[in-house]
Amino acid sequence: MNLETLEERLQGKKSIDSVFYGKLSGWCRSRFIPVDYDEDGSLLHVLYCVECIDDQKKREDKLLYLAQTDTMTGISNRRSGEKMIERVLNNKVSGMMCLVDCDKFKSINDTYGHMAGDEVIVAIAHTLQKSCRDKDVVMRLGGDEFVLFIPGVTERKCANAFFKRLFENLKQIQIESIKDHPIIMSLGACIYDGKEELTFDELYCRADMAMYQSKKVEGYSATIYKKK
């Protein structure tokens, strides 16, 4: 809204606009339109318009939310989650990726039905989100597979403390429709030091190899990937 630079910013343009949030009207778009110039080409008059775009902004925000969110659980979907982790890796932010899934999930679907299975997925997603910080990435890959990225966790001691707290929270899940059927989780993790040039897929493969080891253990188990 700097009028001193308005003429310079309008040079060669039919109009310039900006979006702002008004306390009374919500989201608005302001627009400056040049009207006429003097003989020397200096700007004489401009038309200033303000348009309320609050409904449009809300529709755009809803579409963005739907594009980034797993509709069943409300957490990030695979596409948006991968992008967030790729951004973290590109910025060389150290941390830990965790691959989490539910052991023998098919038996829950087969025994109690897919609606009960969906309840389990939603409960797991909400528990994972509750166990993480706002800056952590929590996403659903699909099915009963989830991925977490926890910035700043690079030491085994901190990782084990996180695993313990996470598993304690997951053990508290109670779903009436599956009665006393246990919900058992396995976790494979990979620590990223912030130095290697790694993609999401490469980090995921390492966490998946660690997950393979966790699956060999009965009950809640977490394994951290080790380079051979």
Side-chain angles (χ1 to χ4, degrees):
M1 194 64 76
N2 187 350
L3 298 180
E4 293 182 0
T5 63
L6 182 59
E7 182 172 358
E8 180 184 347
R9 287 183 287 130
L10 275 170
Q11 254 186 358
K13 297 178 181 177
K14 293 181 179 180
S15 68
I16 56 174
D17 60 56
S18 62
V19 174
F20 66 93
Y21 187 81
K23 292 182 179 179
L24 297 178
S25 53
W27 286 102
C28 296
R29 178 184 290 114
S30 65
R31 189 184 303 274
F32 286 97
I33 304 171
V35 176
D36 55 7
Y37 297 83
D38 64 17
E39 294 178 354
D40 298 323
S42 297
L43 184 64
L44 288 176
H45 301 94
V46 296
L47 183 65
Y48 178 64
C49 310
V50 177
E51 174 190 7
C52 179
I53 58 169
D54 201 55
D55 288 342
Q56 175 188 333
K57 188 70 175 174
K58 287 176 180 177
R59 286 194 298 269
E60 290 173 355
D61 290 344
K62 184 176 181 179
L63 288 173
L64 182 62
Y65 173 82
L66 292 174
Q68 296 177 342
T69 306
D70 177 66
T71 53
M72 180 190 292
T73 62
I75 64 175
S76 296
N77 60 23
R78 178 169 190 153
R79 182 180 180 184
S80 64
E82 281 191 29
K83 284 185 177 179
M84 285 189 281
I85 295 176
E86 287 284 6
R87 197 177 304 123
V88 167
L89 297 177
N90 291 336
N91 292 331
K92 297 293 189 294
V93 178
S94 61
M96 176 176 66
M97 177 189 274
C98 300
L99 178 60
V100 188
D101 79 5
C102 182
D103 294 350
K104 300 177 182 178
F105 178 71
K106 186 176 182 297
S107 68
I108 294 177
N109 276 335
D110 292 345
T111 305
Y112 303 101
H114 288 278
M115 288 184 66
D118 289 350
E119 286 186 70
V120 172
I121 294 296
V122 171
I124 291 171
H126 290 176
T127 303
L128 294 177
Q129 193 168 46
K130 181 182 72 174
S131 304
C132 293
R133 304 162 298 182
D134 290 342
K135 66 179 180 180
D136 300 336
V137 179
V138 182
M139 75 174 192
R140 182 184 178 209
L141 276 179
D144 62 319
E145 279 194 315
F146 299 85
V147 168
L148 315 175
F149 188 89
I150 318 297
V153 176
T154 57
E155 297 181 1
R156 183 172 292 272
K157 182 178 179 181
C158 292
N160 287 333
F162 173 75
F163 300 151
K164 181 180 179 182
R165 178 167 56 86
L166 179 64
F167 285 162
E168 285 175 353
N169 289 340
L170 289 167
K171 289 174 184 177
Q172 298 303 313
I173 294 176
Q174 291 185 340
I175 298 175
E176 188 176 342
S177 59
I178 66 171
K179 301 175 183 177
D180 295 325
H181 193 289
I183 300 174
I184 307 297
M185 309 296 295
S186 291
L187 185 152
C190 176
I191 291 176
Y192 172 63
D193 61 9
K195 298 176 183 178
E196 282 188 272
E197 293 288 342
L198 287 176
T199 64
F200 171 86
D201 288 337
E202 289 169 332
L203 205 57
Y204 172 86
C205 285
R206 293 182 181 185
D208 192 45
M209 283 189 271
M211 170 69 82
Y212 180 74
Q213 298 303 317
S214 292
K215 289 289 187 182
K216 295 179 179 180
V217 180
E218 190 71 27
Y220 283 83
S221 177
T223 305
I224 299 176
Y225 170 82
K226 288 183 180 180
K227 285 186 179 180
K228 295 182 179 179

